[in-house]
Coordinates of all heavy atoms in Angstrom, one line a residue:
M1 N 154.7 141.5 89.2 CA 153.6 142.2 88.8 C 152.6 141.4 88.0 O 151.4 141.5 88.1 CB 154.0 143.4 88.0 CG 154.5 144.6 88.8 SD 153.1 145.3 89.5 CE 153.7 146.9 89.9
T2 N 153.1 140.6 87.1 CA 152.2 139.8 86.3 C 151.5 138.7 87.1 O 150.4 138.3 86.7 CB 153.0 139.2 85.1 OG1 154.1 138.4 85.6 CG2 153.6 140.2 84.2
D3 N 152.1 138.3 88.1 CA 151.5 137.3 89.0 C 150.2 137.8 89.6 O 149.2 137.1 89.8 CB 152.4 136.8 90.1 CG 153.6 136.0 89.5 OD1 153.4 135.5 88.4 OD2 154.6 135.9 90.2
L4 N 150.2 139.1 90.0 CA 149.0 139.7 90.6 C 147.8 139.8 89.6 O 146.7 139.6 89.9 CB 149.3 141.1 91.2 CG 150.2 141.1 92.3 CD1 150.5 142.5 92.7 CD2 149.6 140.3 93.5
K5 N 148.2 140.1 88.3 CA 147.1 140.3 87.3 C 146.6 138.9 86.9 O 145.4 138.8 86.6 CB 147.8 141.0 86.1 CG 146.7 141.5 85.1 CD 147.3 142.3 84.0 CE 146.2 142.9 83.1 NZ 146.7 143.7 82.1
K6 N 147.4 137.9 86.9 CA 147.0 136.6 86.5 C 145.9 136.0 87.5 O 145.0 135.4 87.1 CB 148.1 135.6 86.5 CG 147.8 134.3 85.9 CD 149.0 133.4 85.8 CE 148.7 132.0 85.3 NZ 149.8 131.2 85.3
G7 N 146.0 136.4 88.7 CA 145.0 135.9 89.7 C 143.7 136.6 89.8 O 142.8 136.2 90.4
S8 N 143.7 137.8 89.1 CA 142.4 138.6 89.1 C 141.4 137.9 88.3 O 141.7 137.2 87.4 CB 142.7 140.0 88.7 OG 143.1 140.0 87.3
G9 N 140.1 138.3 88.5 CA 139.0 137.7 87.7 C 138.1 137.0 88.7 O 138.2 137.1 89.9
I10 N 137.1 136.3 88.1 CA 136.1 135.7 88.9 C 136.4 134.2 88.9 O 136.5 133.6 87.8 CB 134.7 136.0 88.4 CG1 134.5 137.5 88.4 CG2 133.7 135.2 89.2 CD1 133.2 137.9 87.7
A11 N 136.5 133.5 90.0 CA 136.8 132.1 90.2 C 138.1 131.7 89.4 O 138.1 130.6 88.8 CB 135.6 131.3 89.7
G12 N 139.0 132.6 89.4 CA 140.3 132.3 88.7 C 140.3 132.4 87.2 O 141.2 132.0 86.6
L13 N 139.1 132.8 86.6 CA 139.0 132.9 85.2 C 139.1 134.4 84.8 O 138.7 135.3 85.6 CB 137.7 132.4 84.7 CG 137.4 130.9 85.0 CD1 136.0 130.6 84.6 CD2 138.4 130.0 84.2
S14 N 139.5 134.7 83.6 CA 139.5 136.1 83.2 C 138.1 136.5 83.0 O 137.2 135.7 82.9 CB 140.3 136.2 81.9 OG 139.6 135.6 80.8
L15 N 137.9 137.8 83.0 CA 136.5 138.4 82.9 C 135.9 138.0 81.5 O 134.7 137.7 81.4 CB 136.6 139.9 83.1 CG 135.3 140.6 83.1 CD1 134.4 140.1 84.2 CD2 135.4 142.1 83.2
K16 N 136.7 138.0 80.5 CA 136.2 137.7 79.2 C 135.8 136.2 79.1 O 134.7 135.9 78.6 CB 137.4 137.9 78.1 CG 137.0 137.6 76.7 CD 138.1 137.9 75.8 CE 137.7 137.5 74.3 NZ 138.8 137.7 73.4
T17 N 136.5 135.3 79.7 CA 136.2 133.9 79.7 C 134.9 133.7 80.5 O 134.0 132.9 80.1 CB 137.3 133.0 80.3 OG1 138.5 133.3 79.6 CG2 137.0 131.6 80.2
F18 N 134.8 134.4 81.6 CA 133.6 134.2 82.5 C 132.4 134.7 81.8 O 131.3 134.1 81.8 CB 133.9 135.0 83.8 CG 132.7 134.9 84.7 CD1 132.4 133.8 85.4 CD2 131.8 136.0 84.9 CE1 131.4 133.7 86.3 CE2 130.8 136.0 85.7 CZ 130.5 134.8 86.4
L19 N 132.5 135.9 81.1 CA 131.3 136.4 80.4 C 130.9 135.5 79.2 O 129.7 135.3 79.0 CB 131.6 137.8 79.9 CG 131.7 138.9 81.0 CD1 132.1 140.3 80.4 CD2 130.4 139.0 81.7
V20 N 131.8 135.0 78.5 CA 131.5 134.1 77.4 C 130.8 132.9 77.9 O 129.8 132.4 77.3 CB 132.8 133.8 76.6 CG1 132.5 132.6 75.6 CG2 133.3 135.0 75.8
T21 N 131.3 132.3 79.0 CA 130.7 131.1 79.6 C 129.3 131.4 80.1 O 128.4 130.6 79.8 CB 131.6 130.6 80.8 OG1 132.9 130.4 80.3 CG2 131.0 129.4 81.4
V22 N 129.1 132.5 80.8 CA 127.7 132.9 81.3 C 126.8 133.1 80.1 O 125.6 132.6 80.1 CB 127.8 134.2 82.2 CG1 126.4 134.7 82.4 CG2 128.5 133.8 83.5
I23 N 127.2 133.8 79.1 CA 126.3 134.1 77.9 C 126.0 132.7 77.2 O 124.9 132.5 76.8 CB 127.0 135.0 76.9 CG1 127.0 136.4 77.5 CG2 126.3 135.1 75.6 CD1 127.8 137.5 76.8
G24 N 127.0 131.8 77.1 CA 126.7 130.5 76.5 C 125.7 129.7 77.3 O 124.8 129.1 76.7
I25 N 125.8 129.8 78.6 CA 124.9 129.0 79.5 C 123.5 129.6 79.3 O 122.5 128.9 79.3 CB 125.3 129.1 80.9 CG1 126.6 128.2 81.1 CG2 124.2 128.6 81.9 CD1 127.3 128.3 82.4
L26 N 123.4 131.0 79.3 CA 122.1 131.6 79.1 C 121.4 131.3 77.8 O 120.2 131.0 77.7 CB 122.2 133.1 79.3 CG 122.5 133.6 80.7 CD1 122.7 135.1 80.7 CD2 121.4 133.3 81.6
L27 N 122.2 131.3 76.7 CA 121.7 130.9 75.4 C 121.2 129.5 75.4 O 120.2 129.2 74.8 CB 122.7 131.2 74.3 CG 123.0 132.7 74.0 CD1 124.1 132.8 73.0 CD2 121.8 133.4 73.5
F28 N 122.0 128.6 76.0 CA 121.6 127.2 76.1 C 120.2 127.1 76.8 O 119.4 126.3 76.5 CB 122.7 126.4 76.7 CG 122.3 124.9 76.8 CD1 122.3 124.1 75.6 CD2 122.0 124.3 78.0 CE1 122.0 122.8 75.7 CE2 121.6 123.0 78.1 CZ 121.7 122.2 76.9
G29 N 120.1 127.8 77.9 CA 118.9 127.8 78.7 C 117.7 128.3 77.9 O 116.6 127.7 78.0
V30 N 117.9 129.3 77.1 CA 116.8 129.8 76.3 C 116.4 128.8 75.2 O 115.3 128.5 75.0 CB 117.2 131.2 75.6 CG1 116.2 131.6 74.5 CG2 117.3 132.3 76.6
Y31 N 117.4 128.1 74.6 CA 117.2 127.1 73.7 C 116.4 125.9 74.2 O 115.4 125.5 73.6 CB 118.5 126.6 73.1 CG 118.4 125.4 72.2 CD1 117.9 125.6 70.9 CD2 118.8 124.2 72.5 CE1 117.8 124.5 70.0 CE2 118.7 123.1 71.7 CZ 118.2 123.3 70.4 OH 118.1 122.2 69.6
V32 N 116.8 125.5 75.4 CA 116.0 124.4 76.1 C 114.6 124.9 76.4 O 113.6 124.1 76.2 CB 116.8 123.9 77.3 CG1 115.9 123.0 78.2 CG2 118.1 123.3 77.0
G33 N 114.4 126.1 76.8 CA 113.1 126.6 77.1 C 112.2 126.6 75.9 O 111.0 126.3 75.9
V34 N 112.8 127.0 74.7 CA 112.0 127.0 73.5 C 111.7 125.6 73.1 O 110.5 125.3 72.6 CB 112.8 127.7 72.4 CG1 112.2 127.5 71.0 CG2 112.9 129.2 72.6
L35 N 112.6 124.6 73.3 CA 112.3 123.2 73.0 C 111.1 122.7 73.9 O 110.3 122.0 73.4 CB 113.5 122.4 73.2 CG 114.6 122.4 72.2 CD1 115.7 121.5 72.6 CD2 114.0 121.9 70.8
V36 N 111.1 123.1 75.1 CA 110.1 122.6 76.0 C 108.7 123.3 75.9 O 107.7 122.7 75.9 CB 110.6 122.6 77.5 CG1 109.5 122.2 78.4 CG2 111.8 121.7 77.6
Y37 N 108.8 124.7 75.7 CA 107.5 125.4 75.8 C 107.2 126.2 74.5 O 106.2 126.9 74.4 CB 107.6 126.5 76.9 CG 107.8 125.8 78.3 CD1 109.0 125.9 79.0 CD2 106.7 125.1 78.9 CE1 109.2 125.3 80.2 CE2 106.9 124.5 80.1 CZ 108.1 124.6 80.8 OH 108.3 124.1 82.0
G38 N 108.0 126.1 73.5 CA 107.8 126.8 72.2 C 106.7 126.3 71.4 O 106.0 125.3 71.7
E39 N 106.6 126.8 70.1 CA 105.6 126.5 69.2 C 105.8 125.0 68.7 O 104.8 124.3 68.4 CB 105.6 127.4 68.0 CG 104.5 127.3 67.0 CD 104.5 128.3 65.9 OE1 104.9 129.5 66.2 OE2 104.2 127.9 64.8
N40 N 107.0 124.6 68.6 CA 107.3 123.2 68.1 C 107.9 122.4 69.3 O 108.9 121.8 69.2 CB 108.2 123.2 67.0 CG 107.7 123.9 65.7 OD1 106.5 123.8 65.4 ND2 108.5 124.7 65.1
S41 N 107.2 122.4 70.4 CA 107.8 121.9 71.6 C 107.3 120.5 72.0 O 106.4 120.0 71.3 CB 107.5 122.9 72.8 OG 106.1 122.8 73.0
L42 N 107.8 120.0 73.1 CA 107.4 118.7 73.6 C 105.9 118.8 74.1 O 105.2 117.8 73.9 CB 108.3 118.3 74.7 CG 109.7 118.0 74.3 CD1 110.6 117.7 75.5 CD2 109.8 116.8 73.3
T43 N 105.5 119.9 74.7 CA 104.2 120.0 75.2 C 103.2 120.0 74.0 O 102.1 119.3 74.1 CB 104.0 121.3 76.0 OG1 104.4 122.4 75.2 CG2 104.8 121.2 77.3
V44 N 103.5 120.6 72.9 CA 102.6 120.6 71.7 C 102.6 119.2 71.2 O 101.5 118.7 70.8 CB 103.1 121.6 70.7 CG1 102.4 121.4 69.4 CG2 103.0 123.0 71.2
L45 N 103.7 118.5 71.2 CA 103.8 117.1 70.7 C 102.8 116.2 71.5 O 102.1 115.4 71.0 CB 105.2 116.6 70.7 CG 105.4 115.1 70.3 CD1 105.0 114.9 68.9 CD2 106.8 114.7 70.6
N46 N 102.9 116.4 72.8 CA 102.0 115.6 73.7 C 100.6 115.9 73.5 O 99.7 115.0 73.5 CB 102.4 115.8 75.2 CG 103.7 115.1 75.5 OD1 104.1 114.1 74.8 ND2 104.4 115.6 76.5
Q47 N 100.2 117.2 73.3 CA 98.8 117.6 73.0 C 98.3 117.0 71.7 O 97.2 116.5 71.6 CB 98.7 119.1 73.0 CG 98.9 119.8 74.3 CD 99.0 121.3 74.2 OE1 99.0 121.8 73.1 NE2 99.0 121.9 75.4
L48 N 99.2 117.0 70.7 CA 98.8 116.4 69.4 C 98.6 114.9 69.5 O 97.7 114.3 68.9 CB 99.8 116.7 68.4 CG 99.9 118.2 67.9 CD1 101.0 118.4 67.0 CD2 98.6 118.6 67.3
K49 N 99.4 114.2 70.3 CA 99.3 112.8 70.5 C 97.9 112.5 71.2 O 97.2 111.5 70.8 CB 100.4 112.2 71.4 CG 101.7 112.0 70.6 CD 102.8 111.4 71.5 CE 104.1 111.3 70.8 NZ 105.1 110.7 71.6
E50 N 97.6 113.3 72.2 CA 96.3 113.1 72.9 C 95.1 113.4 71.9 O 94.1 112.6 71.9 CB 96.2 114.0 74.1 CG 97.1 113.7 75.2 CD 97.0 114.7 76.4 OE1 96.2 115.6 76.3 OE2 97.9 114.6 77.3
K51 N 95.3 114.4 71.1 CA 94.2 114.7 70.1 C 94.1 113.6 69.1 O 93.0 113.2 68.7 CB 94.6 116.0 69.4 CG 93.5 116.5 68.5 CD 93.8 117.9 67.9 CE 92.7 118.4 67.1 NZ 93.0 119.7 66.5
K52 N 95.2 113.0 68.7 CA 95.2 111.8 67.8 C 94.5 110.7 68.4 O 93.7 110.0 67.7 CB 96.6 111.5 67.4 CG 96.7 110.3 66.4 CD 98.1 110.0 66.1 CE 98.2 108.8 65.1 NZ 99.6 108.4 64.8
Q53 N 94.7 110.4 69.7 CA 94.0 109.3 70.3 C 92.5 109.5 70.4 O 91.7 108.6 70.2 CB 94.6 109.1 71.7 CG 96.0 108.5 71.8 CD 96.5 108.4 73.2 OE1 96.0 109.0 74.1 NE2 97.6 107.7 73.3
G54 N 92.1 110.8 70.7 CA 90.7 111.1 70.7 C 90.1 111.0 69.4 O 88.9 110.5 69.3
L55 N 90.7 111.4 68.3 CA 90.2 111.3 67.0 C 90.1 109.8 66.5 O 89.2 109.4 65.8 CB 91.0 112.1 66.0 CG 90.9 113.6 66.1 CD1 91.9 114.3 65.2 CD2 89.5 114.1 65.8
S56 N 91.1 109.0 66.9 CA 91.0 107.5 66.6 C 89.8 106.9 67.3 O 89.1 106.1 66.7 CB 92.3 106.9 67.1 OG 93.4 107.3 66.3
L57 N 89.6 107.3 68.5 CA 88.4 106.7 69.3 C 87.1 107.2 68.6 O 86.2 106.4 68.4 CB 88.4 107.2 70.7 CG 87.3 106.8 71.6 CD1 87.2 105.2 71.7 CD2 87.4 107.4 73.0
E58 N 87.0 108.5 68.2 CA 85.8 109.0 67.5 C 85.7 108.3 66.2 O 84.5 108.0 65.8 CB 86.0 110.5 67.3 CG 84.8 111.1 66.7 CD 84.9 112.6 66.5 OE1 86.0 113.2 66.9 OE2 84.0 113.2 65.9
E59 N 86.7 107.9 65.5 CA 86.7 107.2 64.2 C 86.0 105.8 64.4 O 85.2 105.4 63.7 CB 88.1 107.1 63.6 CG 88.1 106.2 62.3 CD 89.5 105.9 61.9 OE1 90.4 106.0 62.7 OE2 89.7 105.5 60.7
K60 N 86.5 105.1 65.5 CA 85.9 103.8 65.7 C 84.4 103.9 66.0 O 83.6 103.1 65.6 CB 86.7 103.2 66.9 CG 88.1 102.8 66.5 CD 88.8 102.2 67.8 CE 90.3 101.9 67.4 NZ 91.1 101.5 68.5
I61 N 84.0 104.9 66.8 CA 82.6 105.1 67.2 C 81.8 105.4 65.9 O 80.7 104.8 65.7 CB 82.5 106.2 68.2 CG1 83.1 105.8 69.6 CG2 81.0 106.6 68.4 CD1 83.2 106.9 70.6
L62 N 82.3 106.2 65.1 CA 81.6 106.6 63.9 C 81.5 105.4 62.9 O 80.5 105.2 62.2 CB 82.2 107.8 63.2 CG 82.1 109.1 63.9 CD1 82.9 110.2 63.2 CD2 80.6 109.5 64.0
K63 N 82.5 104.6 62.8 CA 82.5 103.4 62.0 C 81.4 102.4 62.4 O 80.6 101.9 61.6 CB 83.8 102.7 62.0 CG 84.8 103.3 61.0 CD 86.1 102.5 61.0 CE 87.1 103.1 60.1 NZ 88.4 102.3 60.0
V64 N 81.3 102.2 63.8 CA 80.2 101.3 64.3 C 78.9 101.9 64.0 O 77.9 101.2 63.6 CB 80.5 101.1 65.8 CG1 79.3 100.4 66.4 CG2 81.7 100.3 66.1
E65 N 78.7 103.2 64.2 CA 77.4 103.9 63.9 C 77.1 103.8 62.4 O 75.9 103.5 62.1 CB 77.5 105.3 64.4 CG 76.1 106.0 64.2 CD 76.2 107.5 64.6 OE1 77.2 107.9 65.1 OE2 75.1 108.1 64.5
N66 N 78.1 103.9 61.6 CA 77.9 103.9 60.1 C 77.4 102.5 59.7 O 76.5 102.3 58.9 CB 79.1 104.2 59.4 CG 78.9 104.4 57.9 OD1 77.9 104.8 57.5 ND2 79.9 103.9 57.1
Q67 N 78.0 101.4 60.3 CA 77.6 100.1 60.0 C 76.2 99.8 60.4 O 75.4 99.2 59.7 CB 78.5 99.1 60.8 CG 79.9 99.0 60.2 CD 80.8 98.1 61.0 OE1 80.5 97.7 62.1 NE2 82.0 97.7 60.5
R68 N 75.8 100.3 61.6 CA 74.4 100.1 62.1 C 73.4 100.8 61.2 O 72.4 100.3 60.8 CB 74.3 100.7 63.5 CG 72.9 100.5 64.2 CD 72.8 101.2 65.5 NE 73.1 102.6 65.4 CZ 72.1 103.5 65.1 NH1 71.0 103.1 64.7 NH2 72.4 104.8 65.1
L69 N 73.8 102.1 60.8 CA 72.9 102.8 59.9 C 72.8 102.2 58.5 O 71.7 102.2 57.9 CB 73.3 104.3 59.8 CG 73.1 105.1 61.1 CD1 73.8 106.5 60.9 CD2 71.7 105.2 61.5
Q70 N 73.9 101.7 58.0 CA 73.8 101.0 56.7 C 73.0 99.8 56.8 O 72.2 99.5 55.8 CB 75.2 100.6 56.2 CG 76.0 101.8 55.6 CD 77.3 101.4 55.1 OE1 77.8 100.3 55.3 NE2 78.0 102.3 54.3
K71 N 73.1 99.0 57.8 CA 72.3 97.8 58.0 C 70.8 98.2 58.0 O 70.0 97.6 57.4 CB 72.7 97.1 59.3 CG 71.9 95.8 59.6 CD 72.4 95.2 60.8 CE 71.5 93.9 61.1 NZ 71.8 93.3 62.4
E72 N 70.5 99.2 58.8 CA 69.1 99.7 58.9 C 68.6 100.1 57.5 O 67.5 99.9 57.1 CB 69.0 100.8 59.9 CG 67.6 101.3 60.2 CD 67.6 102.4 61.2 OE1 68.5 102.5 62.0 OE2 66.6 103.3 61.1
Y73 N 69.4 100.9 56.8 CA 69.1 101.4 55.5 C 68.7 100.2 54.5 O 67.7 100.2 53.9 CB 70.2 102.2 54.9 CG 70.0 102.6 53.5 CD1 69.1 103.6 53.1 CD2 70.8 101.9 52.5 CE1 68.9 103.9 51.8 CE2 70.6 102.3 51.1 CZ 69.7 103.3 50.8 OH 69.5 103.6 49.5
F74 N 69.6 99.2 54.5 CA 69.4 98.1 53.6 C 68.2 97.3 54.0 O 67.5 96.7 53.1 CB 70.7 97.3 53.4 CG 71.7 97.9 52.6 CD1 73.0 98.1 53.2 CD2 71.5 98.4 51.3 CE1 74.0 98.8 52.5 CE2 72.5 99.0 50.6 CZ 73.7 99.2 51.2
E75 N 67.9 97.2 55.3 CA 66.7 96.4 55.7 C 65.5 97.2 55.3 O 64.5 96.6 54.8 CB 66.8 96.3 57.3 CG 67.8 95.2 57.7 CD 67.9 95.2 59.2 OE1 67.3 96.1 59.9 OE2 68.6 94.3 59.8
L76 N 65.5 98.5 55.4 CA 64.4 99.3 55.0 C 64.2 99.3 53.4 O 63.1 99.3 52.9 CB 64.5 100.7 55.5 CG 64.3 100.9 57.0 CD1 64.7 102.4 57.3 CD2 62.9 100.6 57.4
K77 N 65.3 99.2 52.8 CA 65.3 99.2 51.3 C 64.7 97.9 50.8 O 64.0 97.9 49.8 CB 66.8 99.3 50.8 CG 66.9 99.5 49.3 CD 66.7 100.9 48.9 CE 67.1 101.1 47.5 NZ 66.6 102.3 46.9
Q78 N 64.9 96.8 51.5 CA 64.3 95.5 51.1 C 62.8 95.5 51.4 O 62.1 94.7 50.7 CB 65.0 94.4 51.9 CG 66.4 94.1 51.4 CD 67.1 93.0 52.2 OE1 66.5 92.5 53.2 NE2 68.3 92.6 51.8
L79 N 62.3 96.3 52.3 CA 60.9 96.3 52.6 C 60.1 97.1 51.5 O 58.9 96.9 51.4 CB 60.6 96.9 54.0 CG 61.2 96.1 55.1 CD1 60.9 96.8 56.4 CD2 60.5 94.7 55.2
E80 N 60.8 98.0 50.8 CA 60.1 98.7 49.8 C 59.6 97.8 48.6 O 60.3 96.9 48.3 CB 61.0 99.8 49.2 CG 61.4 100.9 50.2 CD 62.3 102.0 49.6 OE1 62.7 101.8 48.4 OE2 62.6 102.9 50.3
P81 N 58.4 98.1 48.1 CA 58.0 97.3 46.9 C 58.8 97.5 45.7 O 59.3 98.7 45.4 CB 56.6 97.8 46.7 CG 56.5 99.1 47.4 CD 57.5 99.2 48.4
K82 N 59.1 96.5 45.0 CA 59.9 96.6 43.8 C 59.0 97.1 42.6 O 57.9 96.7 42.5 CB 60.5 95.3 43.4 CG 61.5 94.8 44.4 CD 62.2 93.5 44.0 CE 63.2 93.1 45.1 NZ 63.8 91.8 44.8
E83 N 59.5 97.9 41.8 CA 58.8 98.5 40.7 C 59.1 97.7 39.4 O 60.0 97.2 39.1 CB 59.1 100.0 40.5 CG 58.7 100.8 41.7 CD 59.0 102.2 41.5 OE1 59.3 102.7 40.4 OE2 59.0 102.9 42.5

């Protein structure tokens, strides 16, 4: 009699073991989904890296423009009569 009960279940596992395994796999899947698509995810990290690169480029452009404008300012300042 006990031999028949031992063989029952899904894939040779008891129902309790099977349910715990399935729930564990589902929770792990949710965890991975949050890592990939959540608020603190890899996609957000990649977006922030792209934004950082864009801001670095804008910084370089503004530095060059600032140098040009300072040069122009000091050239104009030298043309003013001294008091």
Side-chain angles (χ1 to χ4, degrees):
M1 281 286 201
T2 58
D3 290 339
L4 294 176
K5 192 171 186 179
K6 186 177 180 184
S8 66
I10 301 171
L13 300 172
S14 69
L15 186 60
K16 182 179 176 182
T17 306
F18 180 75
L19 288 177
V20 168
T21 304
V22 168
I23 290 172
I25 291 171
L26 289 175
L27 289 176
F28 181 73
V30 169
Y31 175 72
V32 169
V34 168
L35 282 179
V36 174
Y37 299 109
E39 187 175 322
N40 297 321
S41 67
L42 294 174
T43 54
V44 173
L45 177 65
N46 288 334
Q47 290 172 355
L48 290 174
K49 283 182 181 179
E50 289 175 10
K51 187 174 183 179
K52 182 180 177 183
Q53 288 176 346
L55 290 173
S56 295
L57 178 61
E58 184 179 356
E59 176 190 17
K60 290 175 185 177
I61 292 170
L62 289 174
K63 280 184 178 181
V64 169
E65 184 180 1
N66 187 36
Q67 287 175 349
R68 183 185 60 79
L69 291 172
Q70 280 185 347
K71 181 180 177 184
E72 183 180 336
Y73 169 77
F74 287 122
E75 286 174 353
L76 291 172
K77 188 82 170 161
Q78 288 177 354
L79 293 177
E80 291 179 358
K82 294 182 181 178
E83 297 178 17

